[in-house]
Amino acid sequence: MTEHPWRAPSRRPSVVLVPGFSGRTGEDFPFLLPMLERRHRVVSVDFTTPGVRTLGDLADRIGVAVARCDEPPAVVGYSLGGVAAAAFAAQQPAALSSLAVVAGWMTPAPKLVAFAGLWAELQGERSAVLAAAARQALYSADGWDCARVPRVDDITTRLVALGSTLDVSAMTPGIAAPTLVVGCASDEVATTRQSKLLFGAIADARYAQIDAGHAVVHERPAELLAVLGAFVTEPTRYPAGALIGEDRP
């Protein structure tokens, strides 16, 4: 976990950033992290320690970061981190001011399970094809110019496998914080359907959709920043059930 300097006085809430399959905030939020730091105190979560092996472990890491904030922060989770953030919000409803889940899911989609299975198989073979295959799944056709080669190591392999088992369907009724669910129109990993199911299961949720693949943090970082920045500053600007933007579930 890393605490990033607060660069300017502000009444805006602190932000806890929770990474996805890489387990590293700097890797998953290369644009969002420095831009959010301009207006918020940002605390990042790290999932690279060997002891992170269950949903409870992920939520515990988020709790450590939240405890470093003077007041309940906005918790922003991406992919696996979004699911973990939802679990934390259900377990500790008073600990955060708002929740944003980006490219997350309620239950693992069959495509996610297949993605994790292929990753494990190719990693077991130490295949050089793994990074290319993962990039094909993570990025949309329109975002291909922004596609990065995913990190392939024991940490990402462990987190991809863990992600394919995470199910928060029984926990969503406990999420009380104002929530923003951001779905991605071309998400072939978490799937847009799962993002919409998560939106529908959380009582105080809003939904925004971005035209990107699962790697929206790299494909459309400025658009994502605009959506997240407005939400964490004024989470109840749109009422529960609102569909933000032109896209509709």
Side-chain angles (χ1 to χ4, degrees):
M1 179 188 67
T2 304
E3 182 174 341
H4 303 275
W6 198 4
R7 296 181 178 175
S10 173
R11 292 187 178 182
R12 294 179 173 89
S14 297
V15 176
V16 172
L17 282 180
V18 190
F21 294 132
S22 79
R24 305 160 174 93
T25 302
E27 183 121 350
D28 285 344
F29 302 106
F31 179 85
L32 287 175
L33 174 57
M35 295 303 291
L36 286 171
E37 281 180 332
R38 297 179 66 180
R39 295 192 173 191
H40 302 267
R41 176 189 178 190
V42 178
V43 180
S44 62
V45 176
D46 184 285
F47 290 145
T48 61
T49 56
V52 178
R53 296 191 174 276
T54 68
L55 179 58
D57 294 335
L58 298 173
D60 287 346
R61 296 298 298 167
I62 296 171
V64 171
V66 167
R68 297 193 59 142
C69 301
D70 296 332
E71 297 180 353
V75 177
V76 177
Y78 163 59
S79 182
L80 164 127
V83 182
F88 174 80
Q91 295 167 352
Q92 303 287 339
L96 64 167
S97 61
S98 64
L99 167 70
V101 179
V102 179
W105 57 90
M106 188 161 69
T107 61
K111 188 69 179 285
L112 171 55
V113 175
F115 173 75
L118 179 61
W119 184 297
E121 180 179 347
L122 293 177
Q123 176 71 340
E125 297 172 354
R126 300 297 175 184
S127 173
V129 176
L130 174 53
R135 185 166 59 164
Q136 287 280 352
L138 293 169
Y139 290 87
S140 70
D142 289 341
W144 193 248
D145 289 346
C146 305
R148 303 181 176 201
V149 177
R151 183 188 290 265
V152 175
D153 58 18
D154 291 341
I155 293 168
T156 53
T157 299
R158 170 166 47 84
L159 292 177
V160 168
L162 175 57
S164 70
T165 70
L166 298 185
D167 184 329
V168 292
S169 57
M171 307 177 76
T172 51
I175 299 176
T179 299
L180 172 67
V181 176
V182 179
C184 303
S186 300
D187 190 342
E188 295 187 6
V189 177
T191 74
T192 311
R193 178 176 183 271
Q194 281 297 321
S195 292
K196 293 172 181 176
L197 288 173
L198 188 62
F199 161 61
I202 298 173
D204 193 3
R206 303 118 189 92
Y207 182 85
Q209 187 161 290
I210 295 177
D211 189 10
H214 190 72
V216 59
V217 291
H218 298 145
E219 288 190 38
R220 302 284 186 185
E223 186 176 350
L224 181 59
L225 175 66
V227 172
L228 292 175
F231 173 72
V232 300
T233 302
E234 192 177 356
T236 57
R237 176 183 178 186
Y238 294 96
L243 310 177
I244 302 171
E246 296 181 356
D247 295 304
R248 297 291 183 265

